[in-house]
Amino acid sequence: MEKTWRWFGPNDKITLDMLRQIGVEGIVTALHHIPNGEIWSFEEVNKMKDFIEGHGLRWSVVESLPVSESIKYGGEDRDMLIENYKESLRNLGKAGVKTICYNFMPVLDWARTDLENPNPDGTSNLYFNRGEFAYFDIHILKRRGAEKEWDEETLKRVESLKKEMTPEKENRLIENIIIKTQGFVSGNFSEEDLDPVGKFSNLLKLYAGIDKDRLRENMKYFLEAIMPVCEEYGINMCVHPDDPPMPVFGLPRIVTCDEDIDWFLNAVPNRHNGLTFCAGSLSAGAHNDVVALAKKYAGRTHFVHARICRVLPNGDFKESSHLDRRLIEIISTFEKENPDLPMRVDHAPLMLGDEKMGYNAGYSFHGRMLALGMVSGIMSALKYQSNLK
Ligand code: DNO
């Protein structure tokens, strides 16, 4: 697979020159300065492309061309927003940038409660604590009816958390769930928000009455509308699975499991409608056999996120090592079935001073560099082995 790296643009502290030194071949990025819903002009797309190429690299994948909330919940302006989306796709297609990652998660993109969960070796990782997440839902967001949606064991954890909660700890949860994980990936939130919880609750209201079937219909509507442009320019759309792969805050989620993936691929049976195989997101649900999913969907995958999670018996999950056996099997599947795919490592640990650098959550330098070294080693060993046969 092509070794790519998510880079956040010219202001990223990790520069393209640094990336060339560590074996990166292609760049994954977006026009982060353009607000959601606005057109990415041909000029802006080309400016980014030239900048990347000027550093001896290529722009392999867009992550993300964001789908506005209104397209997801089916608001009055959705057709206008879809037209804008199509125009951005045309401009990307003309410039030759043809792999587009997006997601169809309402309001909240990915979710974690702890961004620096310590490992025994002194590094730290992202962590999802189900009890703390439920605490946020019930006692911070104060969502009506939330208690009824959590299981008994989790509610017990919430009760004991109540005893030890402090305003500082509550603020950290708000920061982790709304600001730090969302701020850099979704146009909905930023570090400047004065009342992130209020804003969050208001966004949830937009989805009143939108259940799984409605959200599916809206995704189908969106995909059907953009497919002709994808056909014309040879663009591959690849939806990112929901992270974590389960409904959150009463919001439906529709890219969580085998049945969901099967549904959206068949609802719009066009090879340009495909998947970002994020092994990490899918493995965060104990219901998913992520190795089997890779085998089943390799042919409709356009982009791979190499990382993997371990789910604990209480429903918490944590990022696991990039040398996890399941990830080796998944890499082996893609190397065999679809070896030209772009692949990036993801959510690596913070290590060797990363924690002081203020990188976006999950996007350390040393941790990702080590992960890329591991995944590159796996790929080389697999190639060597298959040449021996
Ligand atoms: C988190 C990322 C996601 C992903 C988007 C794609 O680290 O994997 O935010 O980029 O969901 O639209």
Side-chain angles (χ1 to χ4, degrees), residues 6 63-64 101-103 105 109-110 185 240 344 347 363:
R6 190 176 195 181
E63 181 173 356
S64 300
C101 170
Y102 69 102
N103 73 73
M105 287 177 254
D109 193 308
W110 60 305
V185 288
H240 188 283
R344 72 169 179 86
H347 295 187
Y363 294 90

Side-chain angles (χ1 to χ4, degrees), residues 1-180:
M1 290 180 281
E2 182 192 22
K3 294 173 209 164
T4 67
W5 182 279
R6 190 176 195 181
W7 172 76
F8 293 97
N11 294 332
D12 195 326
K13 291 182 187 118
I14 303 165
T15 65
L16 295 178
D17 290 333
M18 289 161 77
L19 297 183
R20 279 194 67 193
Q21 292 195 19
I22 62 170
V24 169
E25 295 159 346
I27 294 299
V28 176
T29 195
L31 300 185
H32 290 282
H33 57 287
I34 301 186
N36 280 11
E38 286 184 19
I39 294 174
W40 291 13
S41 71
F42 184 60
E43 291 68 38
E44 287 293 321
V45 167
N46 256 323
K47 218 196 279 172
M48 178 59 90
K49 187 179 176 233
D50 288 347
F51 187 83
I52 294 170
E53 288 178 356
H55 289 79
L57 291 160
R58 63 185 290 262
W59 187 358
S60 306
V61 180
V62 171
E63 181 173 356
S64 300
L65 182 55
V67 177
S68 308
E69 293 298 333
S70 175
I71 297 179
K72 295 178 194 165
Y73 65 78
E76 279 175 10
D77 52 353
R78 80 163 154 181
D79 288 331
M80 183 273 286
L81 289 161
I82 290 177
E83 285 310 312
N84 285 359
Y85 202 96
K86 283 158 70 179
E87 193 53 24
S88 299
L89 287 179
R90 280 187 202 101
N91 293 333
L92 286 161
K94 281 182 207 154
V97 185
K98 299 188 178 184
T99 304
I100 316 291
C101 170
Y102 69 102
N103 73 73
F104 220 80
M105 287 177 254
V107 185
L108 190 75
D109 193 308
W110 60 305
R112 294 294 182 280
T113 53
D114 187 354
L115 309 180
E116 293 192 34
N117 189 259
N119 295 316
D121 60 7
T123 63
S124 69
N125 266 109
L126 303 169
Y127 190 92
F128 181 89
N129 180 308
R130 191 174 161 90
E132 290 181 358
F133 197 71
Y135 179 94
F136 173 87
D137 192 11
I138 299 169
H139 295 295
I140 299 181
L141 205 53
K142 299 188 172 58
R143 190 171 60 87
R144 197 178 298 155
E147 300 83 355
K148 292 193 202 91
E149 289 172 25
W150 291 100
D151 57 280
E152 217 169 292
E153 196 200 328
T154 306
L155 289 173
K156 273 191 207 143
R157 292 175 72 185
V158 172
E159 277 314 297
S160 59
L161 274 170
K162 238 166 116 181
K163 292 179 202 130
E164 59 187 59
M165 222 9 111
T166 60
E168 290 72 36
K169 283 187 188 163
E170 285 204 350
N171 274 335
R172 198 168 321 125
L173 273 183
I174 296 171
E175 257 189 35
N176 291 350
I177 295 173
I178 308 186
I179 309 287
K180 290 200 171 147

Side-chain angles (χ1 to χ4, degrees), residues 244-262:
M246 61 184 199
V248 290
F249 305 131
L251 296 164
R253 287 191 145 189
I254 55 171
V255 192
T256 65
C257 59
D258 190 7
E259 194 243 324
D260 281 351
I261 300 172
D262 201 60

